[in-house]
Amino acid sequence: MIGSTHSKSDDILDVAETRMRGGGYDSVSFRDIAAEVGIKSASVHYHFPQKADLGVAVVQRYAERFLETLGAPDDPGESPSERLARICEGYRAALFDQGLLCLCCVLGAESGALPKPVSEAVGDFFAGLLDWTARALEGEERAPSAAEVISALQGAMVLANATGRPALFNQTAEALRARLG
Amino acid sequence: MIGSTHSKSDDILDVAETRMRGGGYDSVSFRDIAAEVGIKSASVHYHFPQKADLGVAVVQRYAERFLETLGAPDDPGESPSERLARICEGYRAALFDQGLLCLCCVLGAESGALPKPVSEAVGDFFAGLLDWTARALEGEERAPSAAEVISALQGAMVLANATGRPALFNQTAEALRARLG
DNA sequence: GTGTACTTACCTATCGATAGATAGATAGCT
DNA sequence: AGCTATCTATCTATCGATAGGTAAGTACAC
């Protein structure tokens, strides 16, 4: 299948990402991934020799896709408020529709136990996201800082997840948007 | 040693809490705890038969101590601003002095992979903390909601931890305090 | 066009390490 | 004697990882 968008390698990353977002790095095993994909664990090692390789690949793909869906932070056809709305909506949809947190929020919380290459990739994600957010809100007077925005959203996901009350995410997200006017 | 504040059981909880806050539930093992305390893993099982028992005990002790240090949310001798400052300072001190996140933030992020009694204890912690915060800010006009406050602080810890920039926590904490005037 | 060399993508089988957990013995205290 | 706290020793299950093999596809010389 030339040009196929569907490879076993992608399947592995899909399953690994979903599982990591649901329970963290250690809750993912080669065997479980293999069983769900329909191959053997040795075949997962073929694509990703070490678990850290898999972890880095999952984080990097997540980061790329995420920033891609956010679009350009300086698109003149869009207001800071609209850009903030889009980042909120991205997180909200995942949380409500699939019950999944931000991958890097989950991994960031257990950062101390991760292989260094993985935790570095997580750090890079946040650096990129902070940068995007700062640009997206540039020029706004009463706007919260990028760190405030990202902190609020990440924390709201944890809170909603831990209490089983997804509405708590909305509460924080809408307060954020209200502050931008 | 009657009345001693120092028992092996406490030692076990101390070590388990520190490790869980550094790397999550799965990063803690009976063997590692035992080695650090100076006993055998079977002895840890004597005090906490199952790992979930240990997890619940760690979370409950953490929750009790935490709410204790926060004090009464309706102490008339204190302003909402002062109460907010104290909750910020509690988290800041742990993060800066020991590099440790809030236990329930770490566990809340991987909530989906925890034994149910443990994730329920984590949920109870946040319910109690939300309640304390709502009471602490009661009557304030321009004050952020309890969910906003807790979200911001939890998220700021994750962000600071993942990026290795503890200053990012302060940035969010001080913005929070500024909003209370 | 076909033999040879190489690559890709899996497989079976197994390794050593470590996880949580348990049974039964021991030592000291009341 | 009985209780508490710890030990030694061991179990089963699972982990990440590796070795070695197989079948199918690709590339190229002749």
Side-chain angles (χ1 to χ4, degrees), chain A:
Chain A
M1 289 225 286
I2 291 171
S4 171
T5 58
H6 182 84
S7 73
K8 282 285 195 291
S9 178
D10 289 332
D11 290 348
I12 292 168
L13 291 173
D14 288 341
V15 171
E17 179 184 318
T18 301
R19 288 178 178 249
M20 279 187 200
R21 290 171 72 176
Y25 187 79
D26 284 341
S27 77
V28 174
S29 78
F30 279 72
R31 282 173 178 69
D32 289 347
I33 293 172
E36 188 168 336
V37 170
I39 56 178
K40 299 296 172 178
S41 75
S43 306
V44 181
H45 278 284
Y46 168 78
H47 293 282
F48 306 98
Q50 318 253 359
K51 190 174 183 183
D53 298 324
L54 174 61
V56 169
V58 169
V59 171
Q60 285 180 345
R61 193 189 67 160
Y62 179 83
E64 280 165 25
R65 287 181 172 182
F66 195 88
L67 287 174
E68 206 170 291
T69 67
L70 289 184
D74 51 4
D75 179 346
E78 216 176 22
S79 70
S81 173
E82 287 170 320
R83 287 192 278 267
L84 179 63
R86 203 165 53 237
I87 186 171
C88 288
E89 173 54 21
Y91 278 136
R92 193 209 60 79
L95 184 62
F96 280 65
D97 299 345
Q98 309 166 59
L100 297 178
L101 304 194
C102 169
L103 171 70
C104 292
C105 177
V106 176
L107 298 186
E110 60 184 8
S111 187
L114 298 178
K116 195 173 282 179
V118 179
S119 60
E120 282 172 358
V122 172
D124 290 345
F125 167 83
F126 280 117
L129 185 55
L130 282 170
D131 186 61
W132 185 92
T133 308
R135 288 172 192 266
L137 302 180
E138 213 160 58
E140 290 292 298
E141 280 309 319
R142 311 179 321 289
S145 71
E148 275 184 86
V149 171
I150 304 305
S151 293
L153 292 177
Q154 301 294 330
M157 277 185 279
V158 172
L159 192 58
N161 187 51
T163 58
R165 295 168 55 192
L168 287 176
F169 176 82
N170 276 349
Q171 194 176 322
T172 293
E174 308 219 332
L176 256 187
R177 297 177 57 181
R179 289 174 67 192
L180 252 183

